[in-house]
């Protein structure tokens, strides 16, 4: 009797993992077209948040993305969920631009300059009005991505300063504040081509950062701790 039970137990032990593995392999994965729809929605939302502000009607976002309202709400049940994803996407892509600049440019000030212009193209300034919305700004996913970006920019600033290419009376917060202010969209204004001045003004800002310093700055350098206390 005991040997029969042992044989039966062995059969169960060998079959169960196989069944479990089969069930796991049958877990549905998002289809390629579903992933593309999601990406189109996030891209459209980012564009429209820049153009019209974070309160743009979601049905307009769906129309810009080329999907139906049902598809949008299936991916993002409310505005907070969509805003969360847009902020996450912009922050992540901006961090990637910082890493690329650091890895591909030999001159650390050129790397910093490349990142600043790339961050403008990623519409990082559009995050400011979105961050005042009603979504969880302290979500662990967002905090982790923001920290990745801060560390990447701190690395760019630190290397440029150590190489004597960046003035020493500034800090990483100065770079991020200026970048935010110079790239922040002005929704609803009549000057629809205002973006064409962005890179021009960013370059003026970068020229002011390069060492040797040509002036004495008033006040004190803005650190990341300063920015965190104000947000």
């Amino acid at each position: 009797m005991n040997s029969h039970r042992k044989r039966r137990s062995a059969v169960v032990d060998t079959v169960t993992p196989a069944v479990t593995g089969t069930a796991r392999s049958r877990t549905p994965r998002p289809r390629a077209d579903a992933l593309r729809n999601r990406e189109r929605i996030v891209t459209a939302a980012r564009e429209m948040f820049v153009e019209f502000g974070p309160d743009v009607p979601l049905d307009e976002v769906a129309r810009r993305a080329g999907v139906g309202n049902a598809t949008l709400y299936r991916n993002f049940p409310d505005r907070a969920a969509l805003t969360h994803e847009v902020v996450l996407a912009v922050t992540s892509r901006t961090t990637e631009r910082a890493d690329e600049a650091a890895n591909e440019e030999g001159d650390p000030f050129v790397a910093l300059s490349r990142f600043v212009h790339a961050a403008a193209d990623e519409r990082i300034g559009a995050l400011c009005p979105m961050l005042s919305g009603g979504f969880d700004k302290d979500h662990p996913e967002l905090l982790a991505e923001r920290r990745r970006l801060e560390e990447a920019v701190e690395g760019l600033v630190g290397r440029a300063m150590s190489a004597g290419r960046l003035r020493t009376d500034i800090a990483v917060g100065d770079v991020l504040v200026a970048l935010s202010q110079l790239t922040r969209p002005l929704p609803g204004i009549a000057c629809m081509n205002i973006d064409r001045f962005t890179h021009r003004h960013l370059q003026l800002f970068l020229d002011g950062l390069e060492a040797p310093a040509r002036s004495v700055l008033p006040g004190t350098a803005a650190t990341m701790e300063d920015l965190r206390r104000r947000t």
Side-chain angles (χ1 to χ4, degrees), residues 53-217:
D55 297 323
V56 63
L58 296 188
D59 58 343
E60 294 295 329
V61 173
R63 187 174 294 111
R64 172 76 67 92
V67 302
N69 286 357
T71 299
L72 186 148
Y73 286 108
R74 186 163 55 249
N75 283 276
F76 306 104
D78 53 33
R79 184 180 300 276
L82 178 56
T83 304
H84 171 98
E85 194 66 23
V86 171
V87 172
L88 192 65
V90 172
T91 306
S92 177
R93 285 166 60 92
T94 304
T95 303
E96 290 173 6
R97 301 292 86 79
D99 291 340
E100 289 169 0
N103 294 330
E104 297 174 11
E105 300 292 346
D107 184 324
F109 189 82
V110 172
L112 177 62
S113 300
R114 171 175 163 175
F115 160 73
V116 167
H117 285 290
D121 288 336
E122 293 296 342
R123 304 292 198 172
I124 191 173
L127 294 181
C128 296
M130 282 189 278
L131 290 174
S132 62
F135 76 105
D136 184 6
K137 294 181 283 293
D138 295 323
H139 190 285
E141 195 174 28
L142 292 176
L143 291 177
E145 199 58 56
R146 187 174 74 180
R147 186 57 196 158
R148 280 187 63 233
L149 175 59
E150 291 173 359
E151 289 174 352
V153 180
E154 285 171 345
L156 289 169
V157 169
R159 284 189 289 274
M161 199 172 289
S162 296
R165 298 281 283 118
L166 184 68
R167 59 190 301 165
T168 58
D169 56 350
I170 66 104
V172 65
D174 292 303
V175 175
L176 293 178
V177 168
L179 182 57
S180 170
Q181 291 176 337
L182 291 172
T183 62
R184 185 178 301 192
L186 302 173
I189 64 171
C191 303
M192 296 307 294
N193 293 323
I194 195 79
D195 284 353
R196 67 191 177 96
F197 297 111
T198 298
H199 289 287
R200 178 181 178 86
H201 295 161
L202 284 174
Q203 191 57 51
L204 287 171
F205 164 66
L206 288 165
D207 287 348
L209 289 182
E210 195 167 5
R214 296 168 179 79
S215 62
V216 177
L217 296 177

